[in-house]
Amino acid sequence: MANSIEVRSPFLDYRFIQFSQKIPSNLKVNFKDSKILMREIIRDLVPKEIISRNKMGFTPPIKKWLYNLLDEKLFQKYVSYLEPFNNELVFFYNKIFYHNEKNKLIEYELIKLIIFAKWFEFWIDKRD
């Protein structure tokens, strides 16, 4: 978990930690199962297939969000900020935006463009 964000702040409360230290280990984990007590507590509230399923990752639809955020007009505005610096970057961003290539790199490149554009608007382009 060195490179991810955990959103489990209730589990960081010192009172919860102190309480959990008092729970016997056999109610927490064994060779077959983990989170035994937690699964038992929610057994009547959550469907069995959810309680018994294996861990699953969550991949947010970043590319979809970015394409919804960046309409063509806004995208062209952001790309125009790059023109004084590097025309190859303008070509690159137009290519990935309009050709919608299936590549993980694209999401992060579009995020970099948005961050650059916001920086440019704040520090350089004071017209808006």
Side-chain angles (χ1 to χ4, degrees):
M1 302 310 291
N3 297 312
S4 59
I5 298 172
E6 287 293 317
V7 186
R8 299 177 184 185
S9 53
F11 293 112
L12 297 176
D13 186 283
Y14 75 92
R15 293 166 294 215
F16 183 81
I17 303 286
Q18 289 171 341
F19 171 74
S20 68
Q21 290 172 336
K22 296 175 185 174
I23 299 171
S25 294
N26 66 325
L27 294 178
K28 296 180 194 174
V29 65
N30 61 30
F31 289 111
K32 182 181 167 199
D33 297 314
S34 63
K35 304 178 185 172
I36 297 168
L37 183 59
M38 186 179 286
R39 292 175 196 269
E40 187 63 30
I41 290 169
I42 65 171
R43 185 178 59 184
D44 295 333
L45 304 171
V46 179
K48 184 179 178 181
E49 53 274 0
I50 293 177
I51 294 173
S52 60
R53 75 178 178 199
N54 292 330
K55 284 180 77 171
M56 296 174 61
F58 170 70
T59 304
I62 295 172
K63 185 183 256 184
K64 182 179 178 182
W65 293 343
L66 289 173
Y67 278 93
N68 287 338
L69 174 72
L70 284 175
D71 63 9
E72 187 171 351
K73 185 177 177 183
L74 183 60
F75 174 77
Q76 284 303 325
K77 177 182 175 185
Y78 288 177
V79 168
S80 72
Y81 297 152
L82 295 169
E83 289 173 353
F85 303 106
N86 189 334
N87 275 330
E88 290 176 16
L89 275 176
V90 172
F91 175 77
F92 170 77
Y93 279 109
N94 279 313
K95 182 178 177 188
I96 65 171
F97 189 78
Y98 292 112
H99 295 287
N100 199 8
E101 297 172 4
K102 304 285 185 221
N103 184 343
K104 264 216 175 279
L105 171 74
I106 292 171
E107 294 113 69
Y108 300 104
E109 293 301 328
L110 289 175
I111 290 169
K112 285 192 251 181
L113 174 65
I114 293 168
I115 291 169
F116 169 76
K118 292 298 181 184
W119 171 87
F120 187 87
E121 287 175 341
F122 187 83
W123 292 103
I124 308 297
D125 188 24
K126 302 284 187 182
R127 292 174 288 183
D128 291 344

